[in-house]
Amino acid sequence: MGDDDARAEIDAHIELLVDELVAAGHPLEQARREARERFGDPVAWHRRTHRTDPRRSGMTTTMMTRFLQDFRFALRSFRRSPGFAVMAVLTLTVALAGNTALFSVLDSAVLQALPFPDSDRLVFIDGVHRTAEGEARRMASVPEFRDWRERARTVESVVATAGATLTLAAGAESERVPGEMVSEGYFELLGGEAALGRTFSPDEYTAIGGPLVAVLGHDLWERAFGADRSVVGRTVTLDERTVEVIGVMEEGFGGVNLGSDLWLPLPALTLNASADIFESRGSRFLPVLGRLAPGSDLEQAQSEFESIALQLQQEFPGANEDRFARLTGFREGYLDTTGDLLWVLFGAGLLLVVIAGANVANLLLVRAHARTREITVRRAVGADSARIVGQLLTESLTLAAVGGALGLVGAQQLLRVALPLVPEGVLPAYAEPAISLRAFGFTLVVLLVVGVLSGLTPAMASARRDLAGALRSGRGSVGRGNRAQKAFVVTQMGLALLLLVGAGLLTRSLRAQLAIDPGLEVQGLHALRVSPPLDRYPDPASLRLYADEIRLRVAEVPGVGAVTLSSDVPFRGGSSGSYAMRPDDVETLIRVHRHSVDPGFFDLLGVEVLAGRVFQSSDDADAPGVVVVSRAFVERVFPEDPAPAAAVGRQVWAGNPNDPDNLAEIVGVVDNVRFRNLTQSMLDGPNSPDLFYALAQVPARTHEVTFAVDGDEAAAIAGARRAVQSFDPSTPPFALASLSDLYLGQTAMPRLAAVLMGAFSLLALSLAAVGIYGVLSFTVHQRASEIALRRALGAEGTDVARRVVVDAVRLAGLGVVIGGVAAFLAGDLLESLLFQVQAGDPVTLVLTGAALLAVAAVAAAVPALRAARREPAEVLRRE
């Protein structure tokens, strides 16, 4: 292109801009100044076109030079349209911040390696009680653990561990320390090594009743012993027993519980239990773990343990009836349903990014149409289609880069604010979400994909416009761009429906859980735990004395109301499984939950008495054995006459029928209480039988002290703690919790899922509404002449508005159909997170679809009213 031609094209482009500004109402001189300011220096433009013409210079511009030119041009372009740039960047920032934060959580909890060697081959081995109604998890007894270890070939290094909170006496102060009692091979399996001293010898793992030894955790060593290296070989006091310290573990090792501070060999179970526990098949309290043997996989190991379970059922038909084992990989065991939730939320975050990208693509399409004359002139002065596409892609990538950078900052702040709000126990202890290099790389990949895909369609549409037609009309062909916009809107609507359905299902599931009647009152109640040591309180009489004194002292605290002691409280675990039998059928064993409670328990917790009475002070150690049972107990044990009143006065064997002390009279029937879990039970079904002993007749080794607060809550709680420890300073209270918090903890996971999915779906719905508003506004603008002509020929404004709204609903309807099909196909992904709601729930699909159509109609209202109110004569005159 010659100099004269290039200058003529530049002048023509400036004149086109002047015409546009004059038509928009600017005075001629102001329009000329504005056009030259927008276009830039004509001499610089000429130099660039002259320099890049290969026929004159024989040189080509390098990719980096072109990119820098395009980048600078993009920044100037955004300065001229700040509203567009802010909207696009804000849209991407919100989506990328949420998705990057979720990826960081997913990465730390699911993707990164566990803090154990060969962790992908480590497994948990749980005992399960399996019936036609399903499986209920129970741990292993010591004999069962030994059977598994000796017979398994597909799993090696089978070890057991018993968690325990022990009282460490260090000088005048006592501290409750989380610890584990472990079997041989434990440290080798988990890759733990002693930083000082040693771990346990084979003899120490088997010496029941012998001298006790302990290995300290690194944090405990620093905290309680000041990192004194001479601690190895010294003795400490644990639960009133002298224990020799033989080693200190390396820093960072927290055992399988990830937070243990102390380890003892398995024979240390005698700290709080008799030696009989080593031979009792009914005492199931041991978590068991192991490593898959070389050449074995989880399926083969599960099959082998099924065979072992059948063998044990034949050998021990009473204790092992319906007993099986369930093997679970370590990560799945730590995560439980949290892994499913994180994947679902991460998928929702990706869908939100796609919706945001579609929104930005729509904005770029509208912007590309508004820049038709500019792009046309650039093509006329020699820019080819590839150059135009490169320029527009640079703009979209610049927007994505800015949005990604702000998204990383937003993700970091989001993690800082949100992580403390995540309920305890939802994330595994090893997960420490942070914006890592992997998270940065993930965000980089996402923003590149979003930048390219959101810019590609507008760029291609601009590059393909008819040059001659665009120069004549100033608009160019819009059909392809309009179709692309509608396709983006349909995609947004479909994905928004998918997220809305997920949020709706999780919300309905949460409502179903909250609707469950726990059978008790929890407001204003607090509980703390005490565990008197076996050496000091070795028999039932001493335990009764301890319980009586604790009850009296706590009741005297100002601000404390009623007080009750029990073996366990609802939603905290602790209740154990046992058997009950009818005197006329001792061969039929009925599995039950067993609890020991004092007379005030049922009244304080608001448990309804259906028949008979609850315990009285006269139900002491010298009185005949009595029990209170639940309604589910009566229905299971006496199915021929399940009326609560009919059970009062009947006798049951509450334990081994060979022991006459286990024969007890039912003196009362209470309503069902959800002790173990709000939605499921340790035993057969959510309302498995409960059997309550009088605490004075069957004392508990560990007591839950539950009390009501009538005054200053903080002062009453502190006073209750002091009162407990004042009786016996060597047994400090621990595990303080409000029953309200324990109840809320039962729904922590579904609440988190519903809230996060709801937030994603509302963001998606908002973006979809903005998208459909933008498309219809653009369509109304493009069809201004057609609409004006129809109005001039007699069409009513309401008819025009109706057609605009119908177009919106039609687009949304297509998205609803696509999204509904996708939601139905993806329903299985939510199955593990739902309670009493089916993944393909038609009510949720219909309601969310209707909500989406309504939002689309509302979003269409503004462009519809604008089209209806526009004066035909004014539009036709301007055209």
Side-chain angles (χ1 to χ4, degrees), residues 792-808:
L793 293 176
E796 295 291 334
T798 54
D799 293 333
V800 173
R802 187 182 304 110
R803 287 180 63 87
V804 173
V805 173
V806 168
D807 285 346

Side-chain angles (χ1 to χ4, degrees), residues 46 137 155 471 541 628:
H46 173 261
R137 178 190 171 199
V155 179
L471 286 170
V628 173

Side-chain angles (χ1 to χ4, degrees), residues 94-104 345-346 348-350 353 442 446 760:
V94 171
L96 287 171
N99 199 247
T100 301
L102 273 174
F103 176 81
S104 299
L345 291 176
F346 178 65
L350 282 179
V353 170
F442 166 78
V446 171
F760 277 130

Side-chain angles (χ1 to χ4, degrees), residues 698-754:
V698 183
R701 172 54 55 189
T702 297
H703 295 85
E704 294 279 3
V705 183
T706 306
F707 55 94
V709 175
D710 295 335
D712 185 325
E713 184 176 275
I717 292 172
R721 293 175 65 97
R722 288 193 299 270
V724 169
Q725 196 158 3
S726 68
F727 175 61
D728 187 344
S730 69
T731 58
F734 61 103
L736 174 69
S738 75
L739 265 63
S740 296
D741 289 343
L742 294 176
Y743 171 74
L744 290 175
Q746 295 292 303
T747 57
M749 181 77 76
R751 279 189 288 114
L752 181 66

Side-chain angles (χ1 to χ4, degrees), residues 169-380:
E173 298 294 327
S174 295
E175 178 184 357
R176 298 293 294 182
V177 178
E180 296 177 64
M181 301 172 188
V182 302
S183 68
E184 186 174 1
Y186 174 88
F187 295 107
E188 292 78 7
L189 179 70
L190 300 182
E193 296 183 357
L196 292 176
R198 61 177 178 86
T199 58
F200 309 123
S201 67
D203 290 342
E204 290 165 340
Y205 281 114
T206 58
I208 299 175
L212 293 177
V213 292
V215 174
L216 304 179
H218 199 276
D219 288 346
L220 179 64
W221 173 58
E222 291 183 331
R223 184 176 70 249
F225 300 96
D228 184 359
R229 300 178 67 88
S230 67
V231 71
V232 176
R234 284 161 46 185
T235 59
V236 297
T237 301
L238 286 175
D239 280 8
E240 300 295 305
R241 295 278 296 275
T242 299
V243 180
E244 180 187 355
V245 176
I246 63 170
V248 176
M249 293 305 294
E250 61 187 342
E251 187 174 4
F253 182 79
V256 70
N257 293 333
L258 303 171
S260 296
D261 270 335
L262 183 73
W263 291 268
L264 299 96
L266 205 58
L269 289 171
T270 54
L271 280 171
N272 291 304
S274 70
D276 294 342
I277 201 169
F278 290 95
E279 302 303 326
S280 173
R281 289 191 172 270
S283 300
R284 299 183 174 111
F285 60 94
L286 287 177
V288 178
L289 41 148
R291 180 188 292 111
L292 293 174
S296 300
D297 58 27
L298 191 62
E299 184 178 352
Q300 293 170 333
Q302 181 63 57
S303 177
E304 182 187 37
F305 272 79
E306 292 285 316
S307 300
I308 294 173
L310 294 175
Q311 295 169 15
L312 295 178
Q313 288 176 22
Q314 292 179 350
E315 296 172 23
F316 309 99
N320 281 69
E321 181 185 7
D322 297 329
R323 282 283 293 175
F324 291 88
R326 172 65 58 194
L327 275 67
T328 308
F330 253 40
R331 190 179 299 279
E332 183 183 350
Y334 280 120
L335 289 173
D336 196 20
T337 57
T338 297
D340 295 336
L341 174 61
L342 290 178
W343 278 115
V344 167
L345 291 176
F346 178 65
L350 282 179
L351 294 182
L352 186 63
V353 170
V354 174
I355 293 172
N359 234 26
V360 172
N362 264 336
L363 290 173
L364 289 170
L365 278 169
V366 173
R367 176 176 165 80
H369 176 76
R371 297 168 63 189
T372 297
R373 291 192 178 189
E374 171 197 334
I375 294 171
T376 301
V377 171
R378 293 188 64 208
R379 290 178 61 192

Side-chain angles (χ1 to χ4, degrees), residues 464-489:
R464 292 173 180 170
R465 284 197 177 108
D466 175 58
L467 183 60
L471 286 170
R472 286 194 302 270
S473 68
R475 289 183 178 178
S477 174
V478 298
R480 180 179 292 108
N482 194 249
R483 287 194 296 272
Q485 284 181 293
K486 290 180 178 179
F488 285 135
V489 166

Side-chain angles (χ1 to χ4, degrees), residues 576-628:
S576 59
S578 185
Y579 293 96
M581 293 142 281
R582 293 170 55 151
D584 59 351
D585 185 11
V586 295
E587 298 299 324
T588 302
L589 306 181
I590 308 296
R591 288 181 171 84
V592 298
H593 293 297
R594 53 177 291 172
H595 320 270
S596 291
V597 303
D598 70 10
F601 178 85
F602 299 104
D603 183 58
L604 181 59
L605 273 69
V607 180
E608 183 180 359
V609 180
L610 302 179
R613 66 173 178 85
V614 294
F615 300 122
Q616 302 171 347
S617 57
S618 58
D619 296 320
D620 56 21
D622 298 324
V626 293
V627 293
V628 173

